[in-house]
Amino acid sequence: MSCVSRRDIVAVTPWLAPIVWEGTFDSHLIDNIYRPQNITIAATVFAVGKYIRFLQDFLLTAEQHFFIGYRVVYYVFTDKPEEVPHVNMANNRKLNVVSVPSSNRWQEISARRMELIQTLIEEKLRNHADYIYCLDVDSKFHGPWGAESLGHLVAVIHPGYYGGTRSKFTYERRSVSRAYIAEGEGDFYYCGGAFGGSLKGVHTLADTCRWNFEADAAEGIEAAWQEESHLNRYMWINKPTKVLSPEYLWQDFKPRTPELKIIRFSGVIKNYADIRPNE
Ligand code: UD2
């Protein structure tokens, strides 16, 4: 067993879902469970407008760390299909490009991801993948992200909020929005930049967030953090069956804290004014 006990972190939620931290699982044992199942993992990543510049490092590092030894299919959504870099991949891994329109508002690009993920699952993935992870492109893998992360509905605790109190969480606080979470309610603050689960789990999530987002928009409401706010509301009502620690989405600008024994995936430092269409 490669597991050591950890006393410095909480490894289970109050609804008895695991919270995955380095040192709380045995990856060899977990691979022995999942490898024989011959599963396929889909990964979606959006690279619209200037965000195409992040795609190469994302893919190169994913090829070193993301579900190594498993069948992986990347779906790259972009308005610049001709600029998708060529990255060498193992035989059991491939990349599909999906063309999407560009947009003048970063909020719309970020928010439309739910609709496109829902459609992808309905039109392409059923019977072709078992699990799906939806990841921000402006990030790199630095350590293994594997089958320990699998579950029906998987959320990642946002690195900016895991140590703080609930009152500091940037949930949508206006009750007119369908992303509303009242003061004193909510569990964790989860990232919009990484989430996943079974096809069914993510389809229901994407479908619900999309409709709530669009119903808000029809009334002129945009939640504080767009789809991240809707995702947080969804995860509060439909508890994730597995929660990933901030090892699974850190931010390069944040100093490393003692609990963090490994960084698996981390957002690069970026200058918003330089890369977003409107800022
Ligand atoms: C946070 C979330 C992000 C999203 C956003 C709210 C994390 C680490 N990030 O990040 O997931 O919930 O808040 O809107 O949890 N994109 C493009 N082109 C653009 C703009 C965005 O392709 O012009 C895509 C790209 O895949 C990017 C993602 O949308 O990674 C999120 O946008 P962001 O990185 O600008 O959002 P950010 O860092 O504020």
Side-chain angles (χ1 to χ4, degrees):
M1 277 272 287
S2 63
C3 276
V4 291
S5 65
R6 294 275 308 259
R7 294 172 191 278
D8 57 333
I9 44 91
V10 176
V12 65
T13 68
W15 59 94
L16 299 179
I19 308 178
V20 184
W21 290 90
E22 177 71 355
T24 62
F25 62 91
D26 181 337
S27 52
H28 181 68
L29 189 154
I30 291 175
D31 281 339
N32 283 344
I33 298 170
Y34 286 100
R35 283 242 167 86
Q37 294 181 20
N38 205 14
I39 52 175
T40 299
I41 318 293
T44 64
V45 63
F46 287 73
V48 179
K50 293 184 182 168
Y51 278 63
I52 190 83
R53 69 178 64 167
F54 299 114
L55 186 58
Q56 182 157 21
D57 281 351
F58 173 94
L59 291 171
L60 283 171
T61 58
E63 282 304 287
Q64 290 161 9
H65 299 294
F66 184 68
F67 280 97
I68 298 307
Y70 289 84
R71 197 178 310 117
V72 170
V73 187
Y74 301 98
Y75 287 87
V76 173
F77 292 79
T78 183
D79 57 341
K80 299 185 185 330
E82 68 291 348
E83 289 181 36
V84 173
H86 175 76
V87 170
N88 285 332
M89 291 183 183
N91 285 343
N92 54 352
R93 305 169 73 97
K94 64 177 180 181
L95 183 149
N96 291 322
V97 178
V98 184
S99 285
V100 294
S102 39
S103 169
N104 296 328
R105 291 188 72 236
W106 64 265
Q107 294 90 338
E108 190 180 302
I109 297 167
S110 176
R112 272 204 75 210
R113 290 189 288 178
M114 289 296 183
E115 175 196 341
L116 292 161
I117 290 164
Q118 179 201 345
T119 313
L120 176 78
I121 295 173
E122 288 169 5
E123 295 181 356
K124 300 232 169 74
L125 295 187
R126 287 208 172 121
N127 304 321
H128 295 287
D130 301 284
Y131 295 92
I132 175 168
Y133 286 84
C134 309
L135 303 169
D136 269 10
V137 73
D138 53 317
S139 324
K140 288 192 221 174
F141 291 85
H142 301 277
W145 175 325
E148 76 287 350
S149 68
L150 294 174
H152 177 63
L153 184 62
V154 181
V156 182
I157 299 174
H158 195 295
Y161 302 97
Y162 78 97
T165 58
R166 205 187 264 141
S167 62
K168 298 271 189 321
F169 294 174
T170 54
Y171 292 144
E172 173 55 61
R173 298 298 192 186
R174 295 166 299 169
S175 59
V176 288
S177 169
R178 287 155 187 84
Y180 173 61
I181 299 183
E183 291 290 342
E185 292 183 330
D187 302 308
F188 298 97
Y189 190 80
Y190 302 111
C191 302
F195 59 91
S198 67
L199 282 198
K200 190 169 185 324
V202 176
H203 182 262
T204 313
L205 159 82
D207 186 28
T208 308
C209 290
R210 178 223 174 147
W211 288 112
N212 286 340
F213 183 90
E214 288 179 1
D216 268 11
E219 292 170 9
I221 302 161
E222 183 172 279
W225 284 96
Q226 297 81 35
E227 91 296 351
E228 184 171 89
S229 305
H230 288 278
L231 176 126
N232 270 281
R233 161 91 188 191
Y234 185 87
M235 294 288 186
W236 174 55
I237 294 171
N238 308 275
K239 305 293 189 213
T241 59
K242 189 168 274 184
V243 174
L244 305 181
S245 69
E247 295 167 3
Y248 290 82
L249 187 39
W250 194 248
Q251 286 166 324
D252 285 358
F253 68 79
K254 275 181 75 67
R256 211 167 151 155
T257 53
E259 310 77 54
L260 208 72
K261 308 294 180 207
I262 185 170
I263 294 174
R264 302 174 193 280
F265 187 55
S266 180
V268 301
I269 294 169
K270 59 189 198 272
N271 174 3
Y272 285 114
D274 193 27
I275 49 165
R276 280 178 168 171
N278 57 312
E279 189 60 42

